[in-house]
Amino acid sequence: MAVAFLLYVIAEIAAIWAVGSAVGVLGTLGLLLAGAFLGSWLARREGGKAMRAFLAAARSGRPAEKELTDGMLVGLGGVLILVPGFVSDVLGLLLMLPPSRAVARRWWLRRMEKRAVQFANRRRGPVMVVDSEVVSEEPRREHPTVIEGKVIEG
């Protein structure tokens, strides 16, 4: 994780350096401010859409994992836009736009499904499925079998 953060910081510095070399200091600051304003406006708009979609799904009684994930990704995009730098702004804007957010949502939901299965298998232990039926092994006894008798020491 520390290596990823270090690579991110290096990428941000390189991007700011490259833009600063091309357009100057004031141009770089202007672009960073414009990205922040555009991103905050977009975050507000897309966040409102995600909230309305979530409420509509909740009222209709259907699962709202798509809407909930969209809201989470819009929030993450808003945080990334507030972090100063061009790399974080681009990533945040990508999470704000519906087509790229749909790709991120599919990836996130697949990842969470895999993790949920892993977690369930870890808690429940290995299971066997035969003809779509879960077949458990012998029932596990909570208490060992006790045989009553005398202990004779010799």
Side-chain angles (χ1 to χ4, degrees), residues 71-149:
M72 178 199 67
L73 292 172
V74 168
L76 178 61
V79 168
L80 285 172
I81 286 174
L82 291 177
V83 172
F86 291 111
V87 174
S88 62
D89 284 354
V90 168
L91 291 174
L93 286 173
L94 284 175
L95 288 176
M96 294 289 173
L97 301 174
S100 56
R101 187 172 62 233
V103 172
R105 178 181 357 104
R106 280 192 300 272
W107 173 80
W108 180 259
L109 289 175
R110 260 189 270 123
R111 183 172 185 259
M112 288 299 107
E113 285 172 3
K114 286 179 185 175
R115 291 193 66 182
V117 168
Q118 289 172 351
F119 178 74
N121 286 339
R122 197 173 331 130
R123 294 222 359 142
R124 175 176 59 220
V127 296
M128 184 185 322
V129 178
V130 177
D131 292 332
S132 301
E133 298 275 335
V134 176
V135 179
S136 60
E137 297 177 10
E138 297 178 16
R140 297 182 182 180
R141 298 179 183 171
E142 292 184 23
H143 303 289
T145 303
V146 178
I147 300 174
E148 298 209 12

